[in-house]
Amino acid sequence: MPVNQCTIMTEGLIGLRIGECFDLKPLEPEARLQAFAKSIFMPRFVAEKEKKFTIMGKVYKDKGGPQQKKQKKQGEDTGTSADAETDPHPKWALYRPVRCANTVGLLPDASMDELTLRRTQLLEALNEVEDDLGMTRTKPADEEASTSNAKMRTNEHLIDIAGRKQPSAEEMGLMRATMTEQEIVDQLQKANENFGEKTEYSQEKFRREKMLKHSRKMRVLPTNAITIAATLWSSIAETGMKFANFRARDVLPQILAMANVQAGSRPLLVESTEGLLTGAILERLAGHGRLYCGHFDTGWSDLRMLHFFNPSPTEIATLREVNLSEVLQDFSGEEPLTTLQTKLERLYEHKGKLEQRLAALDDSNADDATVSAQRADLKKNLRAIGFTIRGTRNKLPTKEADARENVEVYSELKNAQATSLILASKYDIKRSFFGLLKFLKPGAPFVVFSEAVDPLVQLREQANNKVAVGMAIQETFCREQQVLPSRTHPLMSMSGRSGFLLSGHKVDPDAEEGQLVHVKVNKLAAYKEAVKSERDPRAAKDAARRATQTSVPAEVSAATSSSE
Amino acid sequence: MAAVEKNLTLEAPASEEPAHRESGPFACDDKDIIKDGDLVVVFENHTSITKVKVKRGETFEHRLGTFDLDHFVGKRYGSRVQPMRNNMNQRKRARTGRASRGESGALVQVGGYATLLPLTPELWCDAVSRRTAIMFPLDNAMVVSHLHLKPGSVVVESGTGSGCLTNFLARAVAPHGRVHTFEFNKARVDAAKLDFAAAKLDDVVCCTHANVYENGFGAEVESTKADAVFLDLPAPWLALPHAVKVLRPFGRICTFSPCIEQVQRTAAKMAKLGFSSIMTLECLPREFRITKIKTTVPVVFQTEEEKAIVRRPGGSRGGANAEADDVAKGEADEDANKAAAAQRKRARPERKQRQDMRPFQTSSLETSVAAVIDQCARPMQEKEFITADRVILPFDRQKGHTGYLTFAYAPFK
Ligand SMILES: C[S@@+](CC[C@H](N)C(=O)[O-])C[C@H]1O[C@@H](n2cnc3c(N)ncnc32)[C@H](O)[C@@H]1O
């Protein structure tokens, strides 16, 4: 059982502090299921094993696709998948732990009291889930697994694999379950035929790497953009899964820096990094300022990674999801509210009329069949209208809050109050950039990420210095070095693909045109005029008139300027 | 001018308050219009970036000429400005000995222009007067993120140097965090303090004059503990024991060293002191430019149209270096006619230029050889077709990479 598929008990980790170590123990399936159930309520955590193996506790919302299939396979031997399929509560079935289920770490400064409180809360919550999931149900597959597990435990600790090249997967599992990492490495060393022939350095390396691989010591890390990204990155490297083609280790820090993200800033972000960028920015805002997280059309921002960050309520309060299509189409955020209110007014009006008519009927005291039928009709209508009114009224508070937020966000964006623009999305780069630039403050920075250089080149070619200044397209070369006495060298595998970043500052589009004069244009024009005037008296007059105009339109100066 | 005055009076009352702000020092949230006392960046191009404190009634000497700072007040950030007097013209006048014809009598602002930008740590790196070797934006961004800094963090830095990294640190930890930065060169401390005050970093950055090898980071910071330590010193390993004292358990550390030998000593010392997850990174930015290069198409590879273009008599010569200029204008999709016309223009002058270049005095042997070469070359040249392609090239000189970054977690006690 490789580390990253290991389920560890969450409970034992509660109360651990960041930096503390714990043992990674393989769990029996039953316990694993419990851990899974608990993980739903747990904050996320990140842990690592000497930086090479990082794991992250998380719950995962399946969205189908190949990934799901893969996890199902994984789930089958734990028994969770069967459970999920037959589970009467599909809500829970959607969640499953991918790497390992667990918690901790996120409360570095929490007092012991808080932790105990938290723990009781979690346990209570767990009881409920256990009922929901029907945890008491027995699962034949699991039983088998656990009995065979029990048999393993009784086995002799050492498994002699000497003389053979590789232990089988089965033997490996057995060894992991029963031996310490030291013993495992001893065994492996014995099994490795040419260990003795290796140089001293490579013997050491062999032992070091094997120790690392089979060690079960994990250390709790702080949960933040970098540790989360590192874990995701390593998981991508392992599974071949692409993560928005985004090398977070060096690109993420640069995006945050180039976009001048800090407490109090108001970046406008359009991302397809599944919430990694959103989380990283919220972390840097720390509850001050605002993050406009934009999406287009009817879609929603996919922020599924956001929960790994354990964002606090104040941090979440700075997040504003904005439908940029609405803002761009001049949709006023007030609309849904006012329509709701007018609707309500009309309903009341109508209701009043009906009541008047009813009263009139009552007053008339006529008692024939048509009148009573009318009365019954009216009453039915009134009741129906009463329902509609109540329904509309119930919608009002949330709509009101929504609308208030929308009005605020829309007016801020329309007044170009975003303090930076960050694009790292699947949307058309050039059009998104030119379409959204109007929301950015003049003078403020922008960053555009693209996997390939071409879209950025096209963008750069179209953005002249009337649009932006200080534009630069760059990629990064980022390489890790192994630093050991006499054995310092670059690590073998290195990602050669950082993607590209285009950064720059927006120019004030309303800069007084015509005030700027370009000397070259001026002189050349004057010179041409002068030459002409020597031959043609009419042109001379023309030239004289033009000379009194002191300026040349800014477009001309911009187009010919050599300053960019 | 009137507009500027009005803006000023509008701006005056609100500005002076050092109000309680929940924003970082570089957050542009309240920066729309340039106010008296603002620190602004005068951006001309990538190689000419300066910063200036706007003060009414003062002027600012720039490469382009003299700027009247009164003009800056009331302008929006992102506006473009031109100097009153123009250095370029003066230089030209000095050279030619007479006033240039274009500006005869006209009272205009002439010459290049610059854009006014709000100060960011990135621009600071370009605009700072370098008192020491500085760290560049890529490394600085890496340090901030991998030290896990966020608002409220306390970070210790040494040495301050020109303060480039200090700005990045301050931006990340503001408003409630703190940067304690230590430098043993008194002059640099004083200069840095002035710089930080000008950028209104006083309540975030605390710059101390001390030798950290000998005296560490002071009892005060050691008692309150820091979340992270950054060392850019010639011998970081000498400061590591002090770093252990000042760091909270499992805090972060980063050292920056240009030489791998320094990294080795540092890493060994870190391991000895109980630091964990020691990781050394090397990061280089590669910046690209968009440019056009000319390539010659051999006759055998030419298409019929190309041959026709080459044969056709062309117009006059275009701008001498038109092809070498970086493409800044959005004219990617020129229609074919235009391209062909430009092609014709380019194909001919090439030959003309080479002929022009030849007539210097040479020895008879050289002349005869040259004549032979000329004869061989000319018929080919007449048929030569030159394409100008847009290409993306990395810059020859890249800003950045001056060393290795080594990160680790402090011991967990
Ligand atoms: C390369 S500079 C730092 C540059 C800075 N990181 C930047 O980006 O602007 C190194 C600085 O460390 C200072 N320094 C060297 N040894 C020191 C010591 N023992 N204590 C304090 N400062 C020291 C030097 O005076 C120098 O200014």
Side-chain angles (χ1 to χ4, degrees):
Chain A
M1 188 183 358
V3 175
N4 53 9
Q5 283 166 22
C6 180
T7 307
I8 54 176
M9 267 315 271
T10 55
E11 261 184 276
L13 301 186
I14 297 180
L16 283 186
R17 283 178 301 154
I18 289 176
E20 226 166 316
C21 289
F22 61 91
D23 266 336
L24 199 61
K25 286 196 209 83
L27 284 189
E28 317 215 337
E30 197 71 19
R32 210 184 288 180
L33 192 67
Q34 279 190 20
F36 149 65
K38 273 179 219 172
S39 71
I40 295 164
F41 296 96
M42 300 280 178
R44 326 291 164 230
F45 89 114
V46 179
E48 71 161 11
K49 197 163 87 178
E50 258 323 308
K51 126 193 150 201
K52 273 228 170 126
F53 297 94
T54 9
I55 57 169
M56 190 156 61
K58 62 182 182 183
V59 287
Y60 201 89
K61 201 171 175 186
D62 268 346
K63 281 215 160 167
Q67 213 187 327
Q68 186 183 16
K69 264 183 232 145
K70 193 157 181 196
Q71 272 145 33
K72 262 206 190 120
K73 230 174 41 201
Q74 195 179 308
E76 263 153 29
D77 37 59
T78 63
T80 46
S81 135
D83 205 65
E85 254 134 62
T86 54
D87 191 74
H89 303 278
K91 194 168 136 212
W92 301 125
L94 284 175
Y95 293 91
R96 71 177 82 236
V98 167
R99 318 233 102 203
C100 69
N102 75 77
T103 176
V104 192
L106 359 128
L107 304 164
D109 304 314
S111 65
M112 247 4 247
D113 288 357
E114 269 175 74
L115 286 172
T116 15
L117 180 70
R118 176 137 210 142
R119 186 176 177 143
T120 40
Q121 280 172 351
L122 288 168
L123 288 176
E124 273 167 28
L126 174 69
N127 285 340
E128 283 169 33
V129 188
E130 267 170 348
D131 292 342
D132 275 3
L133 282 171
M135 296 278 270
T136 43
R137 257 182 280 161
T138 48
K139 281 156 248 64
D142 283 0
E143 265 170 21
E144 223 171 80
S146 54
T147 46
S148 69
N149 229 354
K151 250 187 264 157
M152 283 178 212
R153 298 268 145 127
T154 62
N155 276 356
E156 236 318 288
H157 271 209
L158 295 183
I159 297 158
D160 197 350
I161 49 170
R164 269 186 288 146
K165 241 196 168 134
Q166 284 287 318
S168 70
E170 204 181 313
E171 280 168 340
M172 212 56 236
L174 212 58
M175 282 161 71
R176 282 209 192 94
T178 54
M179 292 158 45
T180 69
E181 60 261 35
Q182 191 72 44
E183 290 165 337
I184 296 177
V185 175
D186 285 343
Q187 285 300 307
L188 290 173
Q189 184 181 320
K190 251 195 255 171
N192 195 307
E193 283 164 353
N194 40 15
F195 185 81
E197 292 152 31
K198 286 184 177 177
T199 65
E200 196 184 318
Y201 283 151
S202 56
Q203 281 188 353
E204 192 196 313
K205 188 176 173 194
F206 177 87
R207 284 195 66 89
R208 195 175 62 231
E209 286 186 349
K210 290 285 184 250
M211 274 300 254
L212 195 59
K213 191 165 172 203
H214 300 290
S215 154
R216 292 178 208 118
K217 271 247 178 311
M218 299 294 291
R219 200 187 285 107
V220 184
L221 298 188
T223 323
N224 60 39
I226 288 297
T227 54
I228 291 169
T231 310
L232 288 171
W233 182 248
S234 72
S235 75
I236 294 154
E238 274 161 33
T239 60
M241 186 177 96
K242 295 266 165 53
F243 181 63
N245 294 321
F246 184 80
R247 198 170 75 197
R249 182 162 77 182
D250 48 315
V251 178
L252 181 72
Q254 284 191 82
I255 289 181
L256 296 177
M258 285 169 170
N260 200 21
V261 174
Q262 64 202 297
S265 58
R266 290 189 296 261
L268 168 58
L269 166 76
V270 185
E271 64 134 295
S272 302
T273 62
E274 304 183 349
L276 181 68
L277 261 175
T278 304
I281 292 171
L282 290 183
E283 190 179 291
R284 288 286 179 89
L285 295 182
H288 311 297
R290 201 156 294 166
L291 169 60
Y292 309 109
C293 184
H295 57 89
F296 290 101
D297 305 328
T298 52
W300 281 101
S301 322
D302 174 5
L303 302 179
R304 70 177 92 164
M305 299 290 177
L306 187 58
H307 63 158
F308 293 137
F309 289 80
N310 300 306
S312 69
T314 48
E315 279 171 19
I316 285 291
T318 55
L319 175 65
R320 298 277 191 286
E321 290 190 53
V322 195
N323 185 340
L324 291 168
S325 307
E326 280 183 4
V327 189
L328 285 165
Q329 283 158 11
D330 225 30
F331 173 89
S332 121
E334 289 160 275
E335 229 167 284
L337 180 64
T338 44
T339 47
L340 212 63
Q341 277 166 339
T342 44
K343 190 176 163 196
L344 209 59
E345 270 166 33
R346 295 242 177 86
L347 285 171
Y348 274 125
E349 210 175 288
H350 192 61
K351 191 179 166 207
K353 273 186 203 151
L354 289 180
E355 276 167 348
Q356 269 175 17
R357 269 165 62 191
L358 194 67
L361 279 182
D362 282 344
D363 282 352
S364 73
N365 274 334
D367 217 14
D368 54 66
T370 49
V371 173
S372 60
Q374 264 182 16
R375 195 177 289 156
D377 246 18
L378 276 176
K379 275 190 180 155
K380 215 167 86 189
N381 281 350
L382 266 174
R383 232 198 350 260
I385 248 182
F387 278 131
T388 331
I389 286 177
R390 219 174 307 149
T392 320
R393 252 204 337 244
N394 285 346
K395 264 192 240 155
L396 213 55
T398 49
K399 272 280 181 219
E400 236 164 21
D402 270 7
R404 234 180 292 124
E405 207 168 84
N406 279 351
V407 169
E408 195 183 65
V409 167
Y410 289 9
S411 76
E412 278 169 4
L413 284 181
K414 279 188 190 155
N415 290 323
Q417 287 299 307
T419 57
S420 55
L421 173 64
I422 306 167
L423 299 180
S425 74
K426 57 181 190 241
Y427 296 110
D428 184 291
I429 286 171
K430 206 163 68 180
R431 286 185 218 186
S432 318
F433 176 78
F434 286 105
L436 299 179
L437 199 65
K438 56 161 104 41
F439 299 142
L440 183 65
K441 264 186 191 234
F446 55 80
V447 192
V448 186
F449 169 81
S450 170
E451 195 190 338
V453 74
D454 304 77
L456 297 185
V457 169
Q458 285 166 20
L459 168 52
R460 174 68 185 81
E461 282 180 320
Q462 215 162 85
N464 59 21
N465 48 16
K466 268 177 74 193
V467 174
V469 289
M471 279 179 286
I473 297 176
Q474 69 170 64
E475 68 169 351
T476 33
F477 168 98
C478 183
R479 180 160 81 164
E480 196 176 336
Q481 299 277 339
Q482 169 186 292
V483 179
L484 284 171
S486 329
R487 275 158 295 162
T488 299
H489 62 73
L491 286 195
M492 295 302 171
S493 61
M494 167 196 159
S495 146
R497 207 166 94 175
S498 66
F500 298 83
L501 290 169
L502 170 79
S503 59
H505 285 260
K506 178 181 169 177
V507 166
D508 186 1
D510 308 327
E512 298 103 297
E513 304 253 329
Q515 254 203 17
L516 299 172
V517 185
H518 200 283
V519 66
K520 272 191 209 152
V521 178
N522 221 10
K523 269 195 208 158
L524 192 69
Y527 178 71
K528 276 188 187 158
E529 302 288 342
V531 172
K532 244 201 240 165
S533 66
E534 273 168 26
R535 296 180 204 138
D536 182 359
R538 202 141 35 103
K541 228 163 75 191
D542 223 315
R545 206 184 67 227
R546 226 165 287 177
T548 54
Q549 290 175 352
T550 51
S551 60
V552 168
E555 295 115 72
V556 184
S557 67
T560 48
S561 162
S562 57
S563 71
E564 256 277 353
Chain B
M1 270 292 56
V4 173
E5 295 293 349
K6 211 170 75 202
N7 270 330
L8 243 194
T9 47
L10 276 178
E11 231 38 57
S15 61
E16 298 324 340
E17 289 284 314
H20 173 68
R21 258 179 43 147
E22 295 285 1
S23 297
F26 300 101
C28 303
D29 54 338
D30 59 350
K31 283 190 186 162
D32 284 311
I33 290 170
I34 296 169
K35 290 180 286 227
D36 198 5
D38 276 7
L39 193 60
V40 299
V41 171
V42 181
F43 184 99
E44 186 196 347
N45 57 39
H46 280 287
T47 52
S48 165
I49 303 172
T50 35
K51 58 181 160 57
V52 60
K53 185 128 193 155
V54 177
K55 258 211 181 121
R56 301 218 68 203
E58 290 193 3
T59 55
F60 169 53
E61 288 300 327
H62 188 270
R63 202 182 75 90
L64 287 172
T66 309
F67 283 102
D68 183 356
L69 291 181
D70 275 345
H71 283 300
F72 288 13
V73 179
K75 276 222 156 58
R76 295 224 292 173
Y77 279 96
S79 316
R80 291 184 290 186
V81 286
Q82 286 195 304
M84 299 188 301
R85 221 161 7 88
N86 183 264
N87 281 355
M88 300 302 169
N89 269 352
Q90 275 177 355
R91 268 183 231 151
K92 205 163 273 170
R93 220 174 297 157
R95 210 169 53 220
T96 54
R98 63 189 161 86
S100 61
R101 231 200 272 209
E103 48 175 339
S104 50
L107 216 153
V108 288
Q109 301 180 349
V110 282
Y113 59 83
T115 309
L116 300 180
L117 299 176
L119 184 69
T120 64
E122 280 79 9
L123 290 170
W124 176 297
C125 287
D126 290 310
V128 77
S129 57
R130 293 187 191 175
R131 302 179 282 270
T132 60
I134 64 157
M135 276 178 62
F136 288 96
L138 171 56
D139 282 327
N140 292 342
M142 291 294 285
V143 169
V144 167
S145 280
H146 287 262
L147 283 183
H148 304 170
L149 298 184
K150 48 186 142 195
S153 303
V154 176
V155 56
V156 168
E157 181 202 17
S158 185
T160 314
S162 308
C164 284
L165 177 69
T166 319
N167 281 282
F168 278 77
L169 300 176
R171 172 170 67 181
V173 305
H176 303 305
R178 206 108 171 86
V179 184
H180 298 280
T181 177
F182 295 82
E183 167 67 55
F184 73 171
N185 179 312
K186 187 78 175 76
R188 288 176 192 165
V189 173
D190 294 340
K193 276 185 175 167
L194 283 180
D195 273 353
F196 298 149
K200 301 200 176 88
L201 295 172
D202 303 24
D203 45 356
V204 184
V205 176
C206 170
C207 185
T208 311
H209 179 216
N211 183 333
V212 299
Y213 296 157
E214 285 160 22
N215 308 317
F217 302 105
E220 197 199 318
V221 194
E222 268 171 26
S223 66
T224 52
K225 296 287 177 201
D227 298 296
V229 166
F230 175 83
L231 302 173
D232 178 1
L233 296 168
W237 56 91
L238 293 178
L240 282 177
H242 299 294
V244 174
K245 268 187 260 164
V246 82
L247 276 168
R248 66 164 165 76
F250 219 57
R252 290 289 279 168
I253 191 164
C254 175
T255 66
F256 175 87
S257 299
C259 307
I260 200 73
E261 289 81 4
Q262 289 170 303
V263 176
Q264 281 173 333
R265 287 189 77 164
T266 309
K269 184 79 181 179
M270 278 182 178
K272 214 172 183 181
L273 288 169
F275 285 88
S276 58
S277 295
I278 304 166
M279 171 178 78
T280 300
L281 288 178
E282 177 194 13
C283 294
L284 293 86
R286 290 185 79 219
E287 197 182 324
F288 296 88
R289 67 202 164 102
I290 306 166
T291 186
K292 277 187 180 160
I293 54 164
K294 290 190 289 184
T295 42
T296 309
V297 183
V299 179
V300 279
F301 297 146
Q302 283 174 16
T303 63
E304 285 311 312
E305 295 113 70
E306 283 169 349
K307 279 180 189 152
I309 291 168
V310 173
R311 249 179 263 125
R312 217 177 295 156
S316 69
R317 188 183 166 76
N321 283 323
E323 301 82 30
D325 279 350
D326 280 11
V327 186
K329 293 148 247 163
E331 286 157 13
D333 313 309
E334 285 170 292
D335 55 90
N337 281 342
K338 255 194 195 162
Q343 190 59 61
R344 246 178 283 131
K345 271 188 195 169
R346 267 175 224 137
R348 278 187 83 241
E350 196 60 22
R351 195 186 62 208
K352 199 170 154 234
Q353 195 186 19
R354 286 201 198 162
Q355 285 174 340
D356 290 348
M357 270 158 51
R358 197 148 298 119
F360 19 81
Q361 291 304 321
T362 43
S363 71
S364 60
L365 177 66
E366 274 176 55
T367 331
S368 63
V369 171
V372 173
I373 291 174
D374 192 36
Q375 266 188 353
C376 295
R378 209 174 301 168
M380 281 311 286
Q381 272 175 6
E382 258 157 23
K383 291 174 197 158
E384 170 174 279
F385 187 87
I386 294 163
T387 57
D389 288 329
R390 185 201 71 187
V391 292
I392 301 138
L393 281 178
F395 276 101
D396 202 20
R397 289 174 55 132
Q398 298 284 350
K399 257 196 268 179
H401 189 256
T402 45
Y404 300 93
L405 293 168
T406 304
F407 295 94
Y409 284 103
F412 179 81
K413 281 158 245 167

